[in-house]
Amino acid sequence: MKHYKRILTSGAIVSVIILGLETLICATQPLTIDKTLPNSEVASRITPGDPPNKGILFVDHSANSRSGHLGHALVEYEKGKILAFYPNCSGDDWGGHSAVGWMEYKRSEDAGRTWGKPQELPFSKWLFEAGMGRTAMVEKAVATDQGEIILFYLICDISDDPGWEPYWTPLYSKSADGGKTWSDPKPLCSTRGRIFAVVYQDGEIRVLYFANDATVKLMDRKETGDCVYELYVSGDGGETFTKRSVLPFETPSRFYGSLGFLEGSKMIAYIYNKKDEYNLDYTISEDDGKTWSAVHTAYFSRKIRNPQFIAFSGKYYLHGRSGGYGDGCMNMILYMSEDGVNWDNGVYLRMKDTGIGAYSNSIVVHDKTMERLLIQASHAYEENRTNILHWWVDSSSVKQSEQD
């Protein structure tokens, strides 16, 4: 494992200012449900039924007082064969809301009906045990047409406090054998920052990258030019990546992000606005990300933070935390749209019990003759310690469970 250290120390190292955990006002506010808004029609197609509910327990961190917030990469490397990644982190640091730990994953070869035993992700576990003051979380992964898996690492600095920030240069690894072995990680680019979204289409990997090392508090910046959202692409299966464009977002008070495809070849990027949790900024590209439209906003009636966008069965879905502030926040919510821009009232998947949760991801899974949408999210069970939950969304009102 000594070669890993060379990878991490090959780039320029600069001094950093460590920032503390941003306090989420909502964490101590009473739970509220807005019953005046009708739920999305997708509610009838969700398993378990009758949301909000407890979800399907995927990882029980409560058994060992562990936690897992940030790092929910999902990938289908062959039809019905899935890898689902999740963090295994300390339950003590910041009440469980920390990057002090490593990544693990489970495998399913029957479209998510059953899952194998947890496996530690080698590089992530090595980096944690190396005592270098850094950890590696994985938020995104894609599979190419050739069957290779590309896995993307967020490199966190935990040398002074247990949070994810500051960030170092993001890395990525490849697997040609369904995740049994992984290549040595390589840098995506030469700058420090965080990958928020990765998509694959027409033989090209596209990465939404926030070029910001997070050495100053991310969402309280006043400058507009010190950090930007960039699109990186690879047409050679992840051997190399190049920067294609800079997206036209203003970035003060902005964070998080998601990327996906609309009808035809249009691509849409969404980012979060801390000062307006009812509206996400978005921009659209009609030329594979070379140029982008003017920035517009999309409205979400029950708020949204850390948005995750995905197209599924002729409709569009966006899920995440129902904001971080004010009434109704900190719940796990799912919205649906016919055009990817105008959204319904959504449906809560899980209501907050305690602390911070609702980091999430999703993937379309091919199950026999139909497709299903798998949603994975963290949920706090004690203070900020979280378990990992699953939900399924079917493309019709006849659920897969009713067909089996």
Side-chain angles (χ1 to χ4, degrees), residues 113-135:
R113 287 176 173 79
T114 61
W115 295 89
K117 294 181 179 180
Q119 301 178 60
E120 294 174 347
L121 187 59
F123 172 68
S124 180
K125 185 63 180 295
W126 171 85
L127 183 57
F128 172 75
E129 293 182 335
M132 299 172 62
R134 302 185 202 177
T135 57

Side-chain angles (χ1 to χ4, degrees), residues 8-186:
L8 289 165
T9 57
S10 61
I13 305 297
V14 298
S15 61
V16 298
I17 303 171
I18 306 299
L19 67 150
L21 174 66
E22 177 186 78
T23 301
L24 293 177
I25 298 173
C26 181
T28 58
Q29 292 184 343
L31 176 65
T32 60
I33 302 177
D34 188 344
K35 296 182 179 180
T36 64
L37 297 175
N39 278 338
S40 169
E41 68 88 8
V42 72
S44 65
R45 297 186 279 111
I46 294 172
T47 301
D50 194 25
N53 53 49
K54 293 185 177 181
I56 301 167
L57 183 61
F58 181 60
V59 177
D60 183 9
H61 279 318
S62 67
N64 299 301
S65 295
R66 300 287 290 176
S67 189
H69 278 273
L70 188 160
H72 297 282
L74 299 169
V75 63
E76 185 184 48
Y77 58 95
E78 294 180 25
K79 287 189 175 181
K81 296 185 178 181
I82 317 163
L83 298 182
F85 295 81
Y86 59 90
N88 187 341
C89 292
S90 165
D92 299 324
D93 297 287
W94 280 349
H97 188 243
S98 83
V100 181
W102 59 89
M103 294 295 305
E104 298 178 351
Y105 60 105
K106 295 182 183 181
R107 181 189 309 275
S108 175
E109 296 185 340
D110 56 7
R113 287 176 173 79
T114 61
W115 295 89
K117 294 181 179 180
Q119 301 178 60
E120 294 174 347
L121 187 59
F123 172 68
S124 180
K125 185 63 180 295
W126 171 85
L127 183 57
F128 172 75
E129 293 182 335
M132 299 172 62
R134 302 185 202 177
T135 57
M137 303 290 115
V138 292
E139 294 187 90
K140 297 297 175 181
V142 293
T144 67
D145 293 335
Q146 291 71 40
E148 289 189 313
I149 302 170
I150 318 296
L151 184 67
F152 295 86
Y153 299 93
L154 169 66
I155 305 302
C156 310
D157 191 322
I158 60 168
S159 57
D160 284 355
D161 69 41
W164 296 267
E165 305 157 359
Y167 307 139
W168 292 94
T169 302
L171 307 175
Y172 68 96
S173 292
K174 299 176 65 175
S175 175
D177 57 8
K180 296 176 183 176
T181 60
W182 299 93
S183 68
D184 289 343
K186 301 195 302 184

Side-chain angles (χ1 to χ4, degrees), residues 201-202 206 231 244-245 259-269 282-294 296:
Q201 182 164 290
D202 299 329
R206 301 176 187 177
L231 183 72
R244 175 165 290 171
S245 61
L259 188 68
F261 296 102
L262 301 176
E263 185 179 4
S265 60
K266 292 181 181 180
M267 185 165 53
I268 188 168
Y282 74 88
T283 180
I284 294 174
S285 175
E286 298 187 34
D287 56 7
D288 301 323
K290 297 179 180 68
T291 62
W292 296 87
S293 72
H296 303 280

Side-chain angles (χ1 to χ4, degrees), residues 201-215:
Q201 182 164 290
D202 299 329
E204 188 170 73
I205 304 168
R206 301 176 187 177
V207 178
L208 180 63
Y209 173 62
F210 194 33
N212 183 0
D213 59 15
T215 56

